[in-house]
Every structure is written in C-alpha cells, then in structure tokens.
Amino acid sequence: MEDNPVVFMRLLSDESTQSTLSSDSCEYYQTEIFDQLPSIQASRPEQSTQGLCDVHQGGPEPGESISHGHLSRGAKDKESTQPLKNMVMCIQGKRTARERRKMQINNIGFWESWRRSQSITRKRVWVQMGGALSSLLPWRHTLHAIEGKFGVGVKAYFVFLRYLVFLNLLNCALTSGFILGPTAFYGRRNGSEHLFGGNDSVLDFFLGTGYLDRSPVFIGFYTRGSLDLPCLNTPLLYLAGILTMILLSLIMVVRRTIVGYKHTWMLGKRYSANMSYKIFCGWDFTIQDPASATLKHSFIRNDLKLFLEEQNFSMREAQRTLGQRVRLYLLRFILNLIVLSLLGGAFSLIYFATKTSQSKCMENRFGREMYKLCIFNFLATFCNAFLLNYPRKLVQEKFPTSLLARVLGKQRFLIPFNVLDLVYSQTVSWVGVYYCPLLPLIGTVTLIATFYIQKFVVMRCCVAEQRMFRASSSSVLFHFMLLLGLLMAAVTLGFSFHLQNIEPDITMSSCGPFQNGKTVFIVTKVCVESLPSPAPATLSYLSSEAFALPLILAEIIILTSYVSRGRANQKAIERLKDMLVMSSSDKRFLVKQHATMLRCRNKNRTKVHSAAVVEDNWQDPPSTH
C-alpha cells in the first residue's frame, strides 16, 4: 500500500499579497491537508454531504473568505509597517516578506506608497526618541543593581520614589510660573520689610519661624503688587497655580494607576506565565562580564521565587474555608472603619482649630505646621538610617555570635512601611502647598536625599527579602495610596474654601493674597463679572444644578460604552487564546504529517534500493573460476 505524499503549495494570486497569513501557513493553504487541521475541524460545524464534497474537491475558490477564526483573506497586512528585523521568521521568510512588500508598493500607487513610508518613518522616529528619553532617566544602573539583588518589589519602591521626584519638579515649575515669577516681576506691597532680623537663629530653619516666616516659603509673603487687573492679579494667579498643580497631579496619578491596573489585569490569573520559557530561554548568552552574569542569575532566581510564592498564595486562597473568609472580611471592615473614623476626627480637629484660632496670619501658622511635618519626617528617615540601621549592621558584622546580634537579627527592607512614608510625605506636601507654596521644592530636595539614603540602607545594611513582590501589582497599590492622599488634600483645600464662603468673619485672612476681606469667592466673582456678557451667563449655568443632569447622563453614556468595549475585548481575548491553542494543535499535526511523509519516503527508497540490488544480482550471475 503506497501513501500519497502531501504536497505543500504557495499562493501566487493577487489576494495572497494582502493576506494576513504568514509564510508558514501559506504553505498548506488550498491543499487536502488544510481540511484536516484540528483548528478547521473544530471551527467547522456539521455540514451537508454536498458541502463536504465541495470542500474536498479543492477548498474555497479564489476571492472567497475563510470562515474559521484565525485565517482571513483579503484583509490588510498588519505587519506591513513592521521592520523585517523585528519579525520572528527565518531568512527565507523575510525575503518573501520583502518581495511581497515590493509587489504591494507596485500595486498601490505613488501616494499610498509615500503615506506608508512616512508612517514607517514616524514610527521608527518615535521608537528612537522613546529609547533616547528612557536612557536619560536618572539612576538606571542603580535600579538595575537593586532589582538583581533584591527583586522587582524593592525596585518598584525606588521607581515610585523617582516618580514622586518628577511630580514635584513639575509642581515646582508651576509654582515658579504662576506664583514666584509674577511676584518677583511685579513686586508686592510692604516690599521694604527686611527678611532677616536680629532675633533669628538656626532653629528657625527647622521650626519655620523667624526669617522663614517672612520669606517666600509661606503664603503671607505674597501680597498684591502692581499687577492688579480684575482678571489678572496676584490672588487669581496664586489660586490658578495651586488649582493647576492639584489638577495635573490628579491627572498624572490617575493615569499611572489605570495603566498599572491594566498591566496587572493582563498579567493576572487569566494569563499565567510559561515557566519553561523562563527556565530554558531566560538566560542571555551574550553576557561576558562576570558581574553581569551574577546579576542575571539573580534576576532569574528572584523571578522563579516570585512565581512559586504566587502559586502558594493562590493555593492557600483557594483552600480558605467559609469561616476564614468571614473573619478576613470582618477584619478588613473593622480596619477600614477605624481609618475612616481617624480621617473624620482629623477633619473635625482641623475645623475646630480653624474656627477657634484668633492669631494673626492663621495661614502662615498652618503652613508652618506642614513645613515642620515635612522637615521632621526627613530627619526621622536620616536618623533611622545612620543611627539605627547602620550601627545594627556593624554589630552583626563585628560581633555575629553575640547575644545582641542574635536578638536583632538580619535587617530586611520593609517595602510597605517605606512606601507609606513616601505617601505620607507627598500628602503633607499637597495639603500644605496652598499655605506653603515652596513645599514642592522642599519635597524635591528631601526626596532626592531620601533616594540616596535608602539606597545606602538597602545595599549596605539589608539582606534580600524572603517574600517577593510583583512590580506591577506593587506599583498599582503604591499609586492607589498616593491617589487617596491627593483626594484627601483636595477635600481639605475645598473644605477650607467652603469655610471662607459660609463663615467669612471667622476664617477671614489677615495676610497673603486674600487679605482685607477678599476671599477666593469674592476675587473670582469680580473677575467673572468683568467678562463680556455671554461669559458670566455661561459660567453661571455651568456651575448651577441644571448642568448637573446632562453631565451625569454624559458620564453614564461614556462609562457604559467603556464597559461594553471592555466586555467585547475580553471576549476577543478569549477567542484569541483559543486560536493560540488551536495553532499549537495545527503545528503538532503538521509535524506528525511531515514525519509520516518522511518515513514513507524513506521506506519507498529502501524498497527501491532493495529491488535494484536484487535486479543487479539477477543480471550479473556469479563468475566461475
């Protein structure tokens, strides 16, 4: 019995130049083996006898579309703009792709060819610019070394700290443009007041008193100058700078949180990592430096530890009983209730302190408290590093067998506590920026110093943590906590403005840009009334309750569309996952068919060779001597 060999053919029709099929899948297109693929058998429903006969007689006609999931003809080649060096295929496949692109250029005309070439050029320029900008990020090598020794969780902490530095630099630029610049250019009232006095001391730097109380650090320094137009004056610029700072910070933090959440969702339980790839393909064979090889070894080890820990956590979570779940949810509810009570108590204390305070320049006093919190928080970080952690490490190194060294134990970098410290510091900066405009600058300096202090603590005093943290989930948690701090700062500032509106006699400012009874609402109202006639009516409508209903309806429509799109994308992702599984089945099937074909061919060759040998033996009788 002789098996018919499987013939692999390639399409040369016009449609093949625009097909999304790769060079490998085109080899078995329109052949008998095409109908035997597992993906075709799974996607094809039961057909009539006539339909089956039509399929076996030659497959679909040219120009028809294939109904199964991952093969479609006549579609635009999405990889036409991808550089050939980035395509995962052999040299022959890249040559074929290059020829196919040349055929497309000859068929599409001059303008379409020029548009595609410009699109490719723009994409390459953007990629190169992104690579150049990423190379300019500070502390890249430091973060690389930290990741190799302590894992991606500790690196995520330092990346978060660097992000806060950039955020505070942006706030410093806004402060300079809206507040410091106009005050320096147009001057201010009481400009003859001396900054330094005879009773100033070094402690004023830590307490925010003395010369700092008369400096641009606090709100009392900024008074109306020569710039005194209805809609362009020092109070409005001051307010615009603070609100712009809060708004841009909100946009950046929300965007970062959403992007991190999407990345975490994509890497969640729906998409488990392939450990065989990490084990057998994770090593970089171009490494020649021993230090780089050791660092890469640490990367792979930490990645495997992280995966095993996540698997153990998933198993423990799946084995929780009903009672354990009830206790866990009850504990979370109690903790959240305590946190909300503390927040409510803090807001109440702020309200009563504001209401009962009768001291001159209350805003400066509140800003002074925020300044002291920021300074003493940094001093606590400094003292904890060099007066506690470093001596503890020296004791362990010099006297490792002593009782004190055994009691203290090894130091580990506690990510949650250090992240909470950063969130606390940034929240204080946002809460007090209205009363202390230079807090972003102070926060930038302290955060840069904190980076080097914590780098010293991690690299010199700590050992690797046994519990690993995934960078994506850790980053989402960090930014979500930062978002809560920003919302709390915005609520505090809004509550302060509300008190000025309902109780102007008690909360009237005695210094700064809003002194002499000119509150935020009064200054804003004067500006709105000075605008042309359509503008006040429009702004009044936008701030009224009548505009709230269409705004809520628009938000509902937008959210509904995003939810629908998310569900559709989830279904599409599930279909693509099934298609990947069927593609693997197709590859295994083709390998088996190819092996069968080779065995049959070798068997036929053996039979032909044996028959030829027998025939030669019959034609050449043995000679007699």
Side-chain angles (χ1 to χ4, degrees):
M1 180 177 179
E2 183 177 354
D3 296 335
N4 295 326
V6 179
V7 180
F8 294 92
M9 299 188 301
R10 177 175 176 78
L11 283 177
L12 297 177
S13 61
D14 294 336
E15 291 83 356
S16 64
T17 60
Q18 298 179 352
S19 175
T20 57
L21 299 176
S22 62
S23 58
D24 295 329
S25 60
C26 286
E27 299 293 337
Y28 56 85
Y29 190 75
Q30 282 188 341
T31 57
E32 293 182 358
I33 199 173
F34 176 79
D35 298 317
Q36 302 175 12
L37 292 176
S39 60
I40 304 302
Q41 298 294 331
S43 61
R44 177 172 298 162
E46 295 183 358
Q47 299 177 348
S48 60
T49 306
Q50 181 66 31
L52 291 174
C53 294
D54 293 336
V55 171
H56 286 288
Q57 287 177 0
E61 292 296 328
E64 294 180 354
S65 61
I66 302 172
S67 60
H68 66 283
H70 63 288
L71 297 175
S72 61
R73 306 187 60 191
K76 181 179 179 181
D77 191 2
K78 297 181 180 179
E79 296 182 353
S80 61
T81 60
Q82 185 179 5
L84 292 175
K85 64 179 181 179
N86 296 338
M87 300 177 66
V88 184
M89 58 176 61
C90 60
I91 299 298
Q92 184 62 35
K94 292 184 178 181
R95 291 174 181 172
T96 305
R98 185 184 296 110
E99 295 296 331
R100 185 164 62 249
R101 292 182 181 182
K102 290 181 179 179
M103 294 175 61
Q104 290 179 351
I105 293 175
N106 295 330
N107 294 331
I108 62 180
F110 173 76
W111 289 109
E112 183 67 19
S113 174
W114 179 83
R115 188 184 64 82
R116 292 190 181 185
S117 63
Q118 292 298 317
S119 176
I120 294 174
T121 304
R122 284 195 301 269
K123 290 183 179 180
R124 290 178 178 176
V125 169
W126 280 113
V127 171
Q128 292 176 359
M129 289 179 60
L133 291 177
S134 62
S135 63
L136 296 177
L137 291 176
W139 307 315
R140 292 176 61 247
H141 299 290
T142 301
L143 295 178
H144 194 66
I146 291 174
E147 180 183 4
K149 188 175 181 180
F150 296 93
V152 293
V154 179
K155 179 192 174 183
Y157 164 81
F158 284 94
V159 171
F160 180 64
L161 197 156
R162 183 178 64 180
Y163 174 76
L164 291 182
V165 171
F166 292 153
L167 189 62
N168 280 275
L169 285 176
L170 175 62
N171 294 338
C172 289
L174 294 174
T175 304
S176 301
F178 284 92
I179 301 176
L180 294 178
T183 303
F185 187 77
Y186 291 100
R188 65 188 187 93
R189 295 177 184 175
N190 301 327
S192 60
E193 182 181 359
H194 296 287
L195 181 61
F196 296 96
N199 297 326
D200 297 335
S201 63
V202 180
L203 292 178
D204 293 335
F205 175 79
F206 299 98
L207 300 178
T209 56
Y211 62 91
L212 283 182
D213 194 38
R214 301 183 294 271
S215 68
V217 175
F218 300 109
I219 188 175
F221 180 84
Y222 304 93
T223 58
R224 282 179 177 264
S226 59
L227 184 63
D228 198 7
L229 300 176
C231 286
L232 188 60
N233 49 61
T234 302
L236 281 180
L237 287 176
Y238 191 94
L239 179 64
I242 299 300
L243 295 182
T244 304
M245 192 184 308
I246 297 295
L247 181 61
L248 285 182
S249 299
L250 179 64
I251 293 174
M252 294 182 64
V253 174
V254 168
R255 179 186 176 276
R256 189 95 172 196
T257 306
I258 293 175
V259 171
Y261 177 76
K262 288 170 60 178
H263 185 66
T264 305
W265 183 80
M266 290 295 294
L267 295 179
K269 297 180 180 179
R270 296 179 177 89
Y271 305 94
S272 58
N274 190 356
M275 293 308 300
S276 61
Y277 172 79
K278 294 183 179 181
I279 294 174
F280 297 105
C281 304
W283 185 257
D284 186 3
F285 289 92
T286 62
I287 295 177
Q288 298 180 357
D289 185 23
S292 301
T294 304
L295 199 60
K296 186 65 176 179
H297 182 269
S298 301
F299 287 164
I300 299 175
R301 182 184 67 249
N302 292 334
D303 202 5
L304 295 177
K305 289 171 60 178
L306 176 62
F307 175 77
L308 293 176
E309 184 171 350
E310 288 182 346
Q311 294 297 318
N312 292 332
F313 177 77
S314 300
M315 292 177 59
R316 292 195 303 267
E317 186 179 11
Q319 294 175 357
R320 287 176 183 169
T321 61
L322 180 61
Q324 292 176 345
R325 294 179 184 272
V326 171
R327 286 195 298 269
L328 178 62
Y329 292 142
L330 182 61
L331 179 62
R332 291 177 179 176
F333 175 77
I334 294 175
L335 291 177
N336 290 326
L337 187 62
I338 293 175
V339 170
L340 292 177
S341 302
L342 292 176
L343 290 177
F347 284 121
S348 302
L349 290 176
I350 292 174
Y351 171 74
F352 287 112
T354 304
K355 189 173 181 179
T356 57
S357 178
Q358 300 294 333
S359 61
K360 188 178 184 298
C361 201
M362 179 184 59
E363 287 82 359
N364 265 24
R365 184 178 180 182
F366 188 83
R368 193 183 306 130
E369 298 300 324
M370 296 295 105
Y371 173 83
K372 288 192 292 185
L373 287 176
C374 183
I375 294 297
F376 282 100
N377 181 67
F378 171 73
L379 292 178
T381 302
F382 181 86
C383 295
N384 184 57
F386 294 102
L387 299 181
L388 293 179
N389 292 332
Y390 187 58
R392 177 181 174 183
K393 183 64 177 179
L394 291 179
V395 169
Q396 293 176 351
E397 290 179 349
K398 301 297 183 180
F399 310 101
T401 59
S402 63
L403 178 61
L404 182 60
R406 291 197 301 268
V407 171
L408 293 176
K410 297 181 179 180
Q411 297 186 67
R412 305 188 188 277
F413 190 77
L414 302 178
I415 299 176
F417 292 99
N418 288 281
V419 170
L420 285 176
D421 185 66
L422 291 181
V423 173
Y424 166 77
S425 176
Q426 188 61 38
T427 303
V428 169
S429 177
W430 278 327
V431 171
V433 70
Y434 176 76
Y435 308 96
C436 183
L438 293 188
L439 268 184
L441 178 61
I442 299 171
T444 302
V445 176
T446 56
L447 285 174
I448 293 176
T450 301
F451 184 93
Y452 289 102
I453 292 173
Q454 297 290 28
K455 172 192 171 183
F456 171 79
V457 171
V458 168
M459 303 298 291
R460 180 66 179 85
C461 305
C462 296
V463 296
E465 180 66 52
Q466 294 295 328
R467 180 185 178 187
M468 306 299 293
F469 293 86
R470 181 173 290 278
S472 57
S473 57
S474 301
S475 179
V476 173
L477 181 61
F478 299 166
H479 289 90
F480 181 74
M481 295 167 60
L482 188 65
L483 180 61
L484 292 180
L486 178 57
L487 293 178
M488 187 178 69
V491 170
T492 304
L493 185 60
F495 184 72
S496 176
F497 291 160
H498 179 68
L499 286 181
Q500 292 181 11
N501 186 32
I502 63 175
E503 298 179 355
D505 296 334
I506 299 178
T507 60
M508 182 182 299
S509 177
S510 58
C511 63
F514 300 100
Q515 58 182 337
N516 299 326
K518 295 182 179 181
T519 63
V520 172
F521 295 95
I522 294 176
V523 174
T524 307
K525 183 179 180 181
V526 170
C527 177
V528 172
E529 291 177 351
S530 65
L531 295 175
S533 56
T538 303
L539 294 176
S540 177
Y541 173 73
L542 293 177
S543 60
S544 63
E545 298 178 355
F547 181 71
L549 181 59
L551 182 62
I552 294 175
L553 291 178
E555 292 178 353
I556 292 175
I557 293 174
I558 294 174
L559 291 176
T560 304
S561 64
Y562 274 105
V563 170
S564 301
R565 184 183 301 177
R567 292 177 180 175
N569 291 337
Q570 184 176 357
K571 292 181 180 179
I573 289 172
E574 296 297 331
R575 288 196 298 268
L576 290 174
K577 290 172 60 179
D578 295 336
M579 287 158 52
L580 287 176
V581 174
M582 299 310 300
S583 177
S584 302
S585 302
D586 290 346
K587 292 178 181 178
R588 289 193 295 268
F589 176 77
L590 291 174
V591 169
K592 292 181 181 179
Q593 291 292 330
H594 184 65
T596 304
M597 180 184 66
L598 290 179
R599 285 196 300 268
C600 293
R601 185 178 298 175
N602 293 333
K603 186 183 298 184
N604 293 335
R605 288 178 179 176
T606 304
K607 291 181 180 179
V608 171
H609 180 71
S610 301
V613 171
V614 172
E615 184 177 357
D616 291 340
N617 292 334
W618 279 102
Q619 292 179 356
D620 298 332
S623 59
T624 58
H625 297 283

